[in-house]
Amino acid sequence: MNAHERRSVRLRLALAVTGALAMLFPVYWMVVTALSSPAELQQSALRLWPSSINWANFSGPWGKFPYADWFVNSVVIAVLAVVLTVVVNLMAGYAFAKLRFPGRNVLFLLIISTLMVPVQVVMVPQFHLVVDFGLLGSDWGVILPRLAEAFGLFMARQFMMAVPDELLEAAQVDGSAQWRTFTRVVLPLCRPLVAVLVIFTFMWRWNEFAWPLIVLKEPESYTLQVGLLFLKNQYGQDYGALMAMSLVSMIPMLVVFTLFQRHFVEGMARSGIK
């Protein structure tokens, strides 16, 4: 490696480190705010770390509100939504990628075109459906209306189109039915795709606010994001408590990404998403 190449590597490394620090600084400042006392936050002097850690920012809101119930509700809704949505997207992606049926391309284009429709536009008909099926106020009323995601279906189709048809034909020659071919041949090759779908679906469902606010009626059944609205109204000037609870709400997302990040980049690349 010559001198020019070494300078280029150092420059790219410096830019990468600078970008990483710029993106991580808001999270770091959230941690600092969550651990600071109200009096310290009102001081004009800039402190990069609190002089004393104030754990009351965590224990105070947790004791006054059903924060544990909101946390569990969010986990249940997000996990069920991830499992069902990923299964639906995988099966639909396989059908659009490898099966031949009339109107396949037209139907796929119609489904993809729903990505251009704002979510707020379909909330009213979705709400009527939830009421008609008697799901208002239940977790299933939050989960079922968005069980299939057009974006996830698109990613699944693009990924599975790269699976060689020869593998499927060899399985069929051996007498394998379509379901067995899908579960035994295609799915084992789709681990990167599953990782991407899990991360994105969990992120969308975990951070969803408007739809749970509309469907869920009792405060005890609220999700964490809806519950944070109550904390904002109660602790509007107590930024330490707000940041503390917001910090706790980030933990599940970090756990999910850590578990699946190994296959995340490969799944994005092989799905054709740049």
Side-chain angles (χ1 to χ4, degrees), residues 46-119:
L46 177 63
R47 293 179 179 269
L48 295 179
W49 192 255
S51 57
S52 61
I53 296 178
N54 183 28
W55 296 109
N57 290 334
F58 293 88
S59 60
W62 195 284
K64 293 181 180 179
F65 291 90
Y67 198 87
D69 294 337
W70 297 341
F71 192 91
V72 172
N73 293 339
S74 292
V75 171
V76 170
I77 290 176
V79 170
L80 288 176
V82 165
V83 172
L84 296 176
T85 302
V86 170
V87 169
V88 170
N89 285 333
L90 287 174
M91 292 191 296
Y94 174 75
F96 280 107
K98 296 302 181 183
L99 302 184
R100 302 292 184 266
F101 53 89
R104 182 186 67 165
N105 295 332
V106 174
L107 181 58
F108 178 73
L109 290 176
L110 289 175
I111 294 174
I112 296 302
S113 65
T114 61
L115 291 172
M116 296 182 290
V117 180
V119 176

Side-chain angles (χ1 to χ4, degrees), residues 94 98-99 168 172 176-184:
Y94 174 75
K98 296 302 181 183
L99 302 184
L168 279 65
Q172 294 172 1
S176 178
Q178 284 290 355
W179 177 253
R180 187 178 180 87
T181 301
F182 172 67
T183 56
R184 298 296 181 87

Side-chain angles (χ1 to χ4, degrees), residues 173-237:
V173 169
D174 291 338
S176 178
Q178 284 290 355
W179 177 253
R180 187 178 180 87
T181 301
F182 172 67
T183 56
R184 298 296 181 87
V185 178
V186 178
L187 278 187
L189 302 175
C190 294
R191 291 181 181 177
L193 170 64
V194 172
V196 173
L197 293 178
V198 168
I199 290 176
F200 275 112
T201 306
F202 188 89
M203 178 183 66
W204 292 331
R205 292 309 184 96
W206 183 261
N207 294 326
E208 195 171 28
F209 171 78
W211 185 242
L213 179 64
I214 294 172
V215 174
L216 302 175
K217 298 186 296 183
E218 300 298 329
E220 293 76 13
S221 65
Y222 286 163
T223 60
L224 191 57
Q225 305 306 325
V226 178
L228 287 175
L229 178 63
F230 283 82
L231 294 178
K232 180 178 180 296
N233 294 333
Q234 182 70 22
Y235 296 92
Q237 301 299 322

